[in-house]
Amino acid sequence: MKLAWQSTGWIFFFVFLQGSRGMEERGVKTAMFEAEQQWTLKNYNYTKYHTMEDIYKWINMNVAEYPDLASSQFLGMTSENRPIYLLKIGIRTDTPKKAVWMDCGIHAREWIAPAFCQWFVKEILQKHKEDEKLNTMLQNLDFYVTPVLNIDGYIYSWLNSSTRLWRKSRSAPPANCTCFGVDLNRNFDATWGTLGISSDCCSDMYCGTGPNSEPEAKAVTEFLSRRKDQFLCFLTIHSRGQLLLYPYGNPEKKAPNYKELKELGESASKAIKDVHGMVYRVGSPPELLYNNSGSSRDWAKDIGIEFVYTFELRDNGTYGFLLPEEQIQPTCEEVFAGARTIISHAHDKHFPSSAVPSAPALWIAVLAAWISFQTFT
């Protein structure tokens, strides 16, 4: 038996010294190599969970396949010195554009989140030509999608069954501690270290040594702070619980556009339910879960982004963070409908002349024109 490295990981294989068995083994290895060489965007499987190595390749393939729409941008480095890339998607123009932010995989074990970010990108790039509304939004908006923010933690969660439920980053322990990692969604500078956190570095909700102490959180805040007037939406994708959460995690703090966030969240929840019948509850964290601080959601609202939501994807407790692969597609289909509802609302509010009228509104306009024509002829 020999040990060999393939790009997909270490594999064991037996080498037979005689005849057809040796030829068969060489044939299997050749087939494996050819299949890997033929792996393209067209046969990328969006109904499977993918390793970080796959996702890095997927980013590059999107840029190569859609050079006029997609580009990759370096966001920063992780604690373990891995690069964080995002995809920027939009129709290129010389005029300034508004933007939408989406990140996935801030918690390592929530594999359905990176699966959704990949699905979201696929839907936009593959369907914008035949979908008038998507095409219009791509003319007016740029989409910044980070498929995995917590790359170190995500890779660690793929190691074996004992690491599968890892949540935090993989930063080195602070002084007088032996536990690695920080909960990145408690590390942002939004009433940091006050509610729903732990100062115990071994806790899953350890908030770090200070706001933005972690390079992943710092990379997001630096990128968005420089462009905060550009962004209309901030969507951060998590699991689980089937929730749509708007700011704030502090029960004593309410978003200035609280009513609009709630109503839009309800519209998105309805759009989600219309796809596969799944119910997503809408509210702030204190209303639906618990008080918390240091979240990227609350920080994004604090810097003035108008429409800010956390999506908590399937399920409600049957599988938890171990959502089966057969649920990837229906989950992504329903959440895409919800995210699109929010993005469309933000787009139409800021680009009213580009809004595609609903069917009733369209018929009312046609009828009014017809009456006007009859009156003056």
Side-chain angles (χ1 to χ4, degrees), residues 158-179:
W158 276 81
L159 287 181
N160 53 54
S161 59
S162 69
T163 65
R164 174 62 184 85
L165 295 180
W166 184 261
R167 169 183 168 100
K168 300 186 290 181
S169 69
R170 291 293 297 166
S171 55
N176 302 317
C177 183
T178 58
C179 296

Side-chain angles (χ1 to χ4, degrees), residues 11-23:
I11 62 169
F12 293 93
F13 62 91
F14 289 91
V15 178
F16 297 92
L17 298 179
Q18 295 184 6
S20 61
R21 294 302 294 274
M23 293 174 63

Side-chain angles (χ1 to χ4, degrees), residues 252-272:
E252 298 180 2
K253 195 171 183 180
K254 184 173 286 189
N257 60 336
Y258 171 88
K259 183 178 179 182
E260 185 178 15
L261 288 172
K262 183 175 180 63
E263 290 175 352
L264 180 55
E266 295 290 356
S267 295
S269 177
K270 182 182 183 303
I272 290 172

Side-chain angles (χ1 to χ4, degrees), residues 2-7 9-13 29:
K2 289 188 176 182
L3 180 66
W5 171 255
Q6 297 283 340
S7 66
W10 289 101
I11 62 169
F12 293 93
F13 62 91
K29 289 166 66 180

Side-chain angles (χ1 to χ4, degrees), residues 171-192:
S171 55
N176 302 317
C177 183
T178 58
C179 296
F180 282 75
V182 168
D183 182 349
L184 296 179
N185 205 41
R186 300 293 185 273
N187 191 240
F188 286 78
D189 192 8
T191 58
W192 176 86

Side-chain angles (χ1 to χ4, degrees), residues 357-376:
S358 64
L362 182 61
W363 280 110
I364 289 170
V366 171
L367 180 60
W370 181 84
I371 292 172
S372 176
F373 176 78
Q374 295 297 321
T375 301
F376 294 102

